[in-house]
Amino acid sequence: MYVIRKLGFYLVAAWAAITLNFLIPRALPGSPVDAMLAKLALRGPVTDETRTSIEKMLGTDTDQSLAGQYLDYLAGLFRGDLGVSVTFFPGQVSQVIVDSLPWTLWLVGLSTVITFVLGVGIGAVAGWRRGTWLDALIPSTAVLQSIPYFWLALIFVYLFAVNLGWFPISGGYDVNLVRPAWDYPFIANATYYALLPALTIVLSSIGGWLLGMRNMMVSTLSEDYVLTAEAKGLSPVRTMITYAARNAVLPSLSGFAISLGFVVSGSIVVETVFSYPGIGFTMLQAVQNNDYALMQGLFLVITLSVLCANLLVDLMYGFLDPRTRAGH
């Protein structure tokens, strides 16, 4: 019943997100039709027939009721049809997302996992050995959390890319390579281009995980079950991992779930500074071009990713802490 309740709740939340995703772009000022017509007008006069065709193509036909547009939108979702992108015309929104998503998952996803594992691991050890030199260093790492992404990214570009020449200034891969080859030379080159943006994300995010996990460990160490484990003569490592860290990490898992969900959105600032071809950079281009179809598709993917990540963590919570299933 616990799993069924959770699935039902998230299905309702997904339907609400899909509905809002349909309504919000239509309430914004401006029009994707006008944006596309402005581009076409540079090549010559635009007729009324052209405007009508573009309205139907983009799903904003003024002759159709809002309810009819909504039903067409839902039917398109089931077919995987998210519309046509103005920015990458005549490319489909779904294809644009498919092309951008692997880059963001590779950069932001891997960076988020590395940051979480390092932050939680080091934070757990620092909290277990409170009062040591490692514990004393934790508050200083929080300074990294206050540094703006774009400022740190620009500093790294100036130092490591411009002055030292260790890394490329921008891009996601060497343009002389065939894309996407997905062989070892291409993957190695893409990893090389992602190192500097990944370092920016890790250093900007790790301070919060370190401090949060350290504080939770200190609080958990005074719990009865930890004292009981120590009284039984269990090894310090087993007590730290099985009893203290397992319970202290639960609040961090919620934050990690949200972070994983927002991995799909990418890091707009970092991807923009490095001109990295991910979802974040694509989102910026969509906003600049009033590409509502592409923005709508990106928002939908981001929202559903966050919901799925939270669902997985809710189920994981029930496994790690049976108390959360009580009463269900």
Side-chain angles (χ1 to χ4, degrees):
M1 285 298 295
Y2 175 77
V3 175
I4 294 176
R5 283 176 184 270
K6 289 296 180 183
L7 288 175
F9 170 80
Y10 281 101
L11 283 175
V12 173
W15 170 79
I18 290 172
T19 303
L20 288 174
N21 193 52
F22 167 79
L23 294 174
I24 291 176
R26 285 162 174 78
L28 294 174
S31 167
V33 177
D34 293 335
M36 182 171 288
L37 290 176
K39 289 185 177 182
L40 294 177
L42 297 176
R43 304 177 183 178
V46 178
T47 63
D48 293 337
E49 289 78 8
T50 302
R51 183 181 185 89
T52 302
S53 300
I54 292 176
E55 285 178 345
K56 291 181 179 179
M57 179 182 66
L58 297 180
T60 58
D61 189 359
T62 54
D63 295 333
Q64 191 178 26
S65 65
L66 189 64
Q69 294 181 33
Y70 181 63
L71 293 176
D72 289 343
Y73 171 71
L74 292 179
L77 287 182
F78 284 111
R79 296 194 306 268
D81 181 11
L82 299 177
V84 178
S85 170
V86 174
T87 306
F88 301 94
F89 184 81
Q92 293 287 323
V93 169
S94 56
Q95 187 59 47
V96 174
I97 295 175
V98 168
D99 291 340
S100 304
L101 190 57
W103 297 97
T104 292
L105 293 178
W106 177 245
L107 171 63
V108 186
L110 191 59
S111 300
T112 301
V113 172
I114 291 174
T115 304
F116 176 77
V117 172
L118 288 177
V120 167
I122 298 174
V125 175
W128 179 258
R129 299 181 177 178
R130 58 191 182 280
T132 62
W133 64 270
L134 180 61
D135 187 29
L137 288 178
I138 296 298
S140 62
T141 61
V143 176
L144 295 173
Q145 193 81 4
S146 63
I147 299 177
Y149 269 26
F150 71 90
W151 187 82
L152 188 60
L154 290 173
I155 292 296
F156 281 176
V157 168
Y158 178 74
L159 289 178
F160 300 114
V162 177
N163 281 356
L164 298 177
W166 292 352
F167 299 100
I169 296 176
S170 62
Y173 62 97
D174 189 342
V175 294
N176 295 320
L177 296 176
V178 178
R179 175 186 181 269
W182 303 121
D183 52 11
Y184 175 76
F186 181 81
I187 295 175
N189 183 259
T191 303
Y192 171 61
Y193 271 74
L195 284 177
L196 198 56
L199 181 62
T200 303
I201 296 172
V202 170
L203 290 181
S204 298
S205 307
I206 196 170
W209 296 115
L210 285 170
L211 189 59
M213 186 61 184
R214 182 264 176 196
N215 291 339
M216 285 303 303
M217 278 293 290
V218 171
S219 300
T220 305
L221 292 181
S222 61
E223 296 291 339
D224 293 338
Y225 50 82
V226 176
L227 298 177
T228 303
E230 292 175 340
K232 287 181 177 179
L234 299 180
S235 66
V237 174
R238 182 179 177 185
T239 303
M240 180 185 71
I241 296 175
T242 307
Y243 290 87
R246 178 179 177 179
N247 290 279
V249 78
L250 290 177
S252 297
L253 282 177
S254 297
F256 182 57
I258 297 174
S259 298
L260 281 182
F262 279 105
V263 159
V264 176
S265 67
S267 179
I268 296 178
V269 175
V270 173
E271 290 185 8
T272 301
V273 170
F274 291 96
S275 297
Y276 194 81
I279 291 291
F281 190 54
T282 303
M283 176 76 76
L284 179 65
Q285 292 176 291
V287 172
Q288 290 174 336
N289 291 282
N290 292 326
D291 192 345
Y292 294 135
L294 182 54
M295 284 190 284
Q296 190 170 260
L298 292 172
F299 290 150
L300 179 63
V301 172
I302 293 168
T303 303
L304 294 180
S305 300
V306 173
L307 290 174
C308 290
N310 278 275
L311 172 61
L312 290 177
V313 168
D314 273 348
L315 298 178
M316 189 182 301
Y317 250 108
F319 171 75
L320 293 176
D321 188 0
R323 293 172 298 179
T324 59
R325 298 196 301 266
H328 293 283

